Amino acid sequence: MDELALVRLAKDGDKEALRTLFEENKRKIFALAFQYTKNAEDAEDILQETFIRAYRFLNKFDFQNGVSFSPWLYRIGINCSIDYLRRHRKDREKNSEFGSLENISSDDADSNPEHVRHRKEIREKIDLVLNKLSGRQRMIFILRHYQQLSTKEIADYMNASEGSVKTQLFRAISTVKESLRGLITERDYEMQKL
Amino acid sequence: MRCKNYKEKIILYLYGELDEKTKAEVESHIRQCADCAQDFAYTKRVFKALDEAQEGMPEASWEKCWKEIDAGIAEKPRKMKSFFVLPSWAYATAAVLVIFVAGMLIGRFWLNPSAKPPLQPVALSSLSAASYQPVLQNFIEDLKPVLVEYANYSAKKEKETIVMDKEVARNLIIQNILLRRIVAEKNPTALQFLEDVDIVLKEIANLKSSDQQTPSLIKEFIGQRGILFKMEIFKKI
């Protein structure tokens, strides 16, 4: 059954149709929320909040205007993630103070313990610096870098101009680059030249 | 172009967001400028580190999540019900009415047993002007932001604001119905004003987000009927 038919059924109160619609989108929303919060439990909370909010606003979803359900839901997911982080920012800052390198799991295949530790240090530094970005800046960075949306798509999702998205993205990446300066050397990441 | 601008362009270059001409410009600049070449190489290393930092995406435990979602959805009827609950001022008015009627009954039957029963039922319209004025003024206070917004409507108005206005309008329609009953016989001018407001509120409540024309018509109607002007008059009486 296509998305449109499922939305019609869900609007009429068909819970199975609603569940199918959500199941088809759960991975994408969860990935966004996880990349944004770096925490599986928080990401599950956001996933639930997104779907409950979507259900409550389902009557306002106007599919006759050629709007697809998935991008509409994704936009709700973006807003829920930003709201969630805003509400839980203080707890997260407190927890991150007690974070230690030993708590970070690693699937690094490198057998050199010094190398593994160094990579972990970089990961922790990235987590810390991403936590320090504003919610909106962090979301723009996640959407561009990890969700691989174009700056134009991000601007559409976030009701912003493309220029402002590019500026925020540049600031976010500059902050990350500054925080990693000295930690990342050419030896760590051998890169191809132009 | 200055190096600072190229540093911004390098990021967009790595994301593949530049057109062919700008891409060629960036490549040419990097070949000539040691500082930007260094920045380019470093940014690529940072991107690689960022990619590696994201490895190991967990799976959401969907059944657990669905249980929570299902429970959250079940709360909806309660929320919907609250939409139809009358605003607090309506309860306050009802309480005043009850006390008023009780006072009359006590006065006529208890304190003055000689009075002739039965009493005429007390209609809402029997309230004095002074008793409905605060209610009308409260209503105007709630109404004003919505009407002013539509009176200043321009086509650039955000869709989200319209959704919010619709909910406010529905609430105001209910208040307006009660208020019209109260002022029906006492103040025909106020009644006419409230009937005009009712038309506006119903249009707002039924507005579709894609509808660009109706807000302009609402704006025109508000102007034609002098609703904002009348609103200010009733507010001051």
Side-chain angles (χ1 to χ4, degrees), chain B residues 140-154 157 161 165 168 172 197 200-201 204 215 218-220 222-223 227-229 231-232 235:
Chain B
I140 288 173
E141 282 294 320
D142 293 342
L143 177 72
K144 196 177 170 182
V146 180
L147 290 194
V148 169
E149 207 175 352
Y150 278 87
N152 296 319
Y153 173 82
S154 79
K157 193 169 158 65
T161 320
D165 288 346
V168 175
L172 288 170
V197 167
V200 172
L201 291 174
I204 296 173
I218 294 172
K219 180 182 178 176
E220 214 177 300
I222 292 171
I227 294 178
L228 289 186
F229 176 70
M231 192 169 71
E232 287 305 316
K235 208 176 145 191

Side-chain angles (χ1 to χ4, degrees), chain A residues 10-11 18 22 48-61 69 72-73 76 80, chain B residues 68-80 82 163 167 170:
Chain A
K11 274 190 169 187
L18 188 73
F22 287 168
Q48 291 159 20
E49 212 171 303
T50 302
F51 288 168
I52 291 169
R53 206 184 280 188
Y55 174 75
R56 291 193 177 143
F57 284 97
L58 199 59
N59 282 332
K60 293 191 173 100
F61 171 67
F69 181 75
W72 179 77
L73 191 64
I76 296 177
C80 278
Chain B
E68 294 291 330
I69 294 163
D70 203 19
I73 286 170
E75 282 175 19
K76 194 188 175 187
R78 283 214 303 272
K79 293 236 168 192
M80 286 302 286
S82 69
V163 170
E167 286 174 9
R170 287 187 194 112

Side-chain angles (χ1 to χ4, degrees), chain A residues 15 19 23 27 30 35 38 44 55-56 60 65 119 144-146 151 177 180-181 186 192, chain B residues 15 17 39 42-45 50-52 54 59 61-64 66 70 72 163 167:
Chain A
K15 211 178 255 185
R19 187 178 165 135
E23 273 191 351
R27 200 174 290 272
F30 180 77
Q35 283 159 347
K38 299 283 241 163
E44 282 184 353
Y55 174 75
R56 291 193 177 143
K60 293 191 173 100
N65 279 350
R119 294 275 168 116
R144 178 54 269 195
H145 197 88
Y146 295 122
T151 46
K177 276 164 72 178
L180 294 178
R181 210 168 280 283
E186 277 181 57
Q192 287 177 341
Chain B
Y15 283 132
E17 287 216 22
D39 183 66
Y42 177 62
T43 310
K44 277 174 97 174
R45 289 200 296 276
L50 286 166
D51 293 341
E52 286 192 1
Q54 277 297 309
E59 281 282 322
S61 49
W62 176 240
E63 286 309 318
K64 190 185 114 193
W66 176 250
D70 203 19
V163 170
E167 286 174 9

Side-chain angles (χ1 to χ4, degrees), chain B residues 150 153 203-204 207 211-219:
Chain B
Y150 278 87
Y153 173 82
E203 285 298 329
I204 296 173
L207 203 59
D211 191 345
Q212 296 286 326
Q213 205 186 355
T214 310
S216 304
L217 293 173
I218 294 172
K219 180 182 178 176

Side-chain angles (χ1 to χ4, degrees), chain A residues 2 6-7 11 19 75 77-78 81-82 96 100 111 137 150 152 156 158 167 173:
Chain A
D2 69 354
L6 285 169
V7 173
K11 274 190 169 187
R19 187 178 165 135
R75 188 193 289 261
I78 290 172
S81 301
I82 295 174
S96 68
S100 78
S111 57
Q137 215 172 67
S150 70
K152 190 181 179 310
D156 286 345
M158 298 188 76
T167 307
I173 290 176

Side-chain angles (χ1 to χ4, degrees), chain B:
Chain B
M1 206 186 282
R2 289 181 306 159
C3 282
K4 195 202 163 212
N5 292 335
Y6 278 110
K7 280 176 181 153
E8 288 185 30
K9 294 270 186 290
I10 281 171
I11 289 168
L12 297 174
Y13 177 94
L14 289 172
Y15 283 132
E17 287 216 22
L18 295 182
D19 57 60
E20 286 306 313
K21 191 184 159 213
T22 322
K23 205 173 145 185
E25 264 176 39
V26 171
E27 285 172 358
S28 157
H29 179 79
I30 287 171
R31 283 195 191 97
Q32 291 161 17
C33 174
D35 187 37
C36 286
Q38 212 173 7
D39 183 66
F40 177 75
Y42 177 62
T43 310
K44 277 174 97 174
R45 289 200 296 276
V46 169
F47 274 28
K48 183 101 190 285
L50 286 166
D51 293 341
E52 286 192 1
Q54 277 297 309
E55 283 168 6
M57 172 81 66
E59 281 282 322
S61 49
W62 176 240
E63 286 309 318
K64 190 185 114 193
C65 286
W66 176 250
K67 253 187 205 172
E68 294 291 330
I69 294 163
D70 203 19
I73 286 170
E75 282 175 19
K76 194 188 175 187
R78 283 214 303 272
K79 293 236 168 192
M80 286 302 286
K81 199 176 164 190
S82 69
F83 173 76
F84 294 103
V85 170
L86 294 174
S88 56
W89 67 263
Y91 290 110
T93 311
V96 170
L97 277 176
V98 169
I99 293 166
F100 181 71
V101 173
M104 273 184 60
L105 290 171
I106 290 167
R108 291 222 178 169
F109 292 110
W110 195 332
L111 302 177
N112 184 14
S114 61
K116 285 181 187 173
L119 284 171
Q120 290 298 313
V122 179
L124 286 170
S125 56
S126 67
L127 282 169
S128 67
S131 61
Y132 74 73
Q133 268 309 325
V135 181
L136 180 62
Q137 279 163 357
N138 280 343
F139 173 73
I140 288 173
E141 282 294 320
D142 293 342
L143 177 72
K144 196 177 170 182
V146 180
L147 290 194
V148 169
E149 207 175 352
Y150 278 87
N152 296 319
Y153 173 82
S154 79
K156 286 178 184 168
K157 193 169 158 65
E158 295 285 333
K159 283 181 183 176
E160 282 76 6
T161 320
I162 291 180
V163 170
M164 190 192 76
D165 288 346
K166 287 171 76 166
E167 286 174 9
V168 175
R170 287 187 194 112
N171 197 14
L172 288 170
I173 287 170
I174 299 170
Q175 291 187 34
N176 194 349
I177 293 169
L178 293 169
L179 204 47
R180 272 185 288 153
R181 282 184 197 165
I182 295 172
V183 301
E185 287 163 21
K186 283 282 163 193
N187 192 337
T189 322
L191 184 65
Q192 181 57 53
F193 163 73
L194 291 171
E195 277 169 359
D196 287 347
V197 167
D198 188 53
I199 295 169
V200 172
L201 291 174
K202 280 178 182 161
E203 285 298 329
I204 296 173
N206 293 321
L207 203 59
K208 286 194 174 147
S209 55
S210 56
D211 191 345
Q212 296 286 326
Q213 205 186 355
T214 310
S216 304
L217 293 173
I218 294 172
K219 180 182 178 176
E220 214 177 300
F221 185 80
I222 292 171
Q224 275 173 359
R225 300 289 177 123
I227 294 178
L228 289 186
F229 176 70
K230 287 179 190 164
M231 192 169 71
E232 287 305 316
I233 302 277
F234 285 117
K235 208 176 145 191
K236 283 171 188 161
I237 288 172

